[in-house]
Amino acid sequence: MTQIKRFVVIGETGAGKSAFINAMYNYYFGTRNVDEVFNLKTKSGIKLAIPCKGWDDLVSETSQSSERDVNDQTKSQTTRTTSYSLKVNENLVLELIDTPGFNDTTGVSNDVTNLEQIEKALRSVDYLNGIIIVANGSVVRIGTSFQYFLSLLREIWPNSLTDNVCVVLTNCDEISCNLDFTILQQLFKVNSERIFHIQNNLFAWDRKSNSGKTFQRFRGNFEDTIDEINDLVEVLLTKFENVSTEAFSKISIQQPLIEKHIQELITRMISLIGTYKHQANIETSINNAKKTMDDNKQWDIQHEITAIKWMEVPRDPELEEISSATEKLTAENVLHSIASFTGKLLNKIKKSHKQCSDSPTALNNKSEAECNCITCPNNTPESASNPPKLATKQNRDVQHIYKANEVKVQLTLPDNVAISHHKDADEQVQTLSNELETVGKEQEDLRNELDMLLEQLKSDVQQIREINAHVDLIDRNKDLLTKFQKEINETTDALGIKLYFDTTIGILKSPSSGASLPADGEQMETDI
């Protein structure tokens, strides 16, 4: 049974990925003899899999190349993933999966499309043995976009695959290499035994020229390339075991589920914070209602009112008669009535005080009690202020009337407004207390659910770490985590919620990341 060693080849646009595959294809199907390559008398023994400017006549008829315009080096020449099977011997085949180049002039969106194509192609096979990264060794550094792509691969591809990496540096030898491949060592832990330098400038040779130092340099570079490929093939065929592609399917299915669990966890915690805020509002409302009850617990209020007290006043019948008659007078007989009234009044006085006209000597012989007339000389101010009682006959003749007098009265009455406020506040306290009890039960349910979600999150993250220990789950959920942190910062008393947040961050944080938790008031993006 034929054994297949399968590798995916990735690289930046213009890095020499297609030239590398051509070199590998020629290594197995063309010639390794330098004289057969540079002999102008006969057709070159070179065999190519991918069209190359000036060498189109040597492309194998069985080639399945997807190259486009070979003259435009600003765009990826490979438009889709293509597999090339290189027969090592009767029982062994080396399969290279060529992929579209990254970081070309078509933009980042095309890189995303290319990545989707690559993953689709990899899921179509049962296993892989590793990754071959092709980079231009003559430049100082790898392009930013390709660095991002490599970091993304490290996050989304299984550890078992990203640990099986070889690096091919083109357009240089070990001495002339300019590239700082620290990023490759950091991401994929490649060592010198897995880094190969291939000048591979054969396809820049003008096939009509076979003299001079340049021609000799081309011959020497070809021989060096064959030697380097010998070493590379030895590593590819012997150092890397099969890696099942089930992990790709598992990641593509499980990672979204894990992220969904994380989002559910964060959403529940945000909901719990909402209940704490609601609880605080209810407690404030209860305190306000109780204060209203205290302010209105004095239901009685003192009032001062002005009352009318009717006092009984004696009246003279004759004067009443005169008064009654007077009320009936008209303007025509006013003078007559006044004269008549005056006469009657004088007669009344004379009857009561017969002695008043006597001489002073006679008056002096009388007792004060015998004269009550106010015109009497014997009637002093003292006697006038203490008038004697009238005779019995006079008492019988006097009628009484009532006179209205104002009196200030102090009353204690119920304050209906205070009673109403107290009653409303008491009902509010009862309602809010019931609501507070409901919120307490809701919080308890949410905390129980959070505990279960945290346990589920631990399990989910552990599973994904087993597939890929480098996936940045904090970065993938930064928006939700930032929202969560903002909710905590706006909560006066988080009541233990920050513990859930810290636990979540601890679970999501990659063991290799040195990220620190954001300080209070700081944004997630400044620290993570």
Side-chain angles (χ1 to χ4, degrees), residues 55-118:
W55 297 76
D56 292 349
D57 58 315
L58 301 178
V59 175
S60 172
E61 295 179 357
T62 60
S63 171
Q64 299 179 355
S65 170
S66 60
E67 297 289 292
R68 51 184 173 187
D69 185 3
V70 295
N71 295 310
D72 187 355
Q73 294 301 309
T74 66
K75 296 180 180 179
S76 172
Q77 299 306 301
T78 305
T79 57
R80 57 183 173 81
T81 57
T82 305
S83 296
Y84 299 96
S85 296
L86 311 178
K87 185 177 180 181
V88 178
N89 54 49
E90 295 296 329
N91 300 317
L92 182 61
V93 172
L94 176 61
E95 184 176 309
L96 302 179
I97 301 177
D98 190 15
T99 62
F102 288 82
N103 195 29
D104 67 10
T105 56
T106 57
V108 176
S109 61
N110 193 58
D111 288 346
V112 175
T113 301
N114 291 342
L115 179 58
E116 292 174 352
Q117 287 188 24
I118 293 171

Side-chain angles (χ1 to χ4, degrees), residues 9 13 56 115 168 201 252 311-312 314 363 378 399 474 478:
V9 182
T13 297
D56 292 349
L115 179 58
V168 173
N201 57 4
S252 62
M311 305 295 293
E312 187 176 352
L363 290 173
N378 293 331
Q399 295 182 4
I474 289 180
K478 183 178 291 185

Side-chain angles (χ1 to χ4, degrees), residues 326-342:
T326 302
E327 292 176 358
K328 300 177 181 179
L329 293 178
T330 64
E332 298 176 356
N333 57 13
V334 168
L335 294 176
H336 180 270
S337 297
I338 293 174
S340 176
F341 172 74
T342 304

Side-chain angles (χ1 to χ4, degrees), residues 382-404:
E382 181 179 356
S383 63
S385 61
N386 296 289
K389 294 183 179 179
L390 296 177
T392 304
K393 182 178 179 301
Q394 291 176 325
N395 290 338
R396 287 198 301 269
D397 293 338
V398 174
Q399 295 182 4
H400 299 278
I401 62 174
Y402 292 91
K403 178 181 180 181

Side-chain angles (χ1 to χ4, degrees), residues 23 25-38 44-47 222 226:
Y25 191 88
N26 176 71
Y27 182 85
Y28 284 105
F29 295 107
T31 180
R32 304 174 193 177
N33 188 318
V34 65
D35 292 330
E36 292 180 3
V37 174
F38 294 95
S44 175
I46 292 289
K47 294 293 183 183
F222 179 79
I226 296 299

Side-chain angles (χ1 to χ4, degrees), residues 34-41 55 201-202 204-223:
V34 65
D35 292 330
E36 292 180 3
V37 174
F38 294 95
N39 187 351
L40 298 182
K41 295 180 180 180
W55 297 76
N201 57 4
L202 171 65
W205 169 53
D206 181 0
R207 294 164 62 190
K208 297 179 182 179
S209 174
N210 62 350
S211 62
K213 293 182 178 179
T214 302
F215 176 73
Q216 295 301 322
R217 187 176 300 116
F218 281 128
R219 286 176 59 93
N221 287 339
F222 179 79
E223 291 176 331

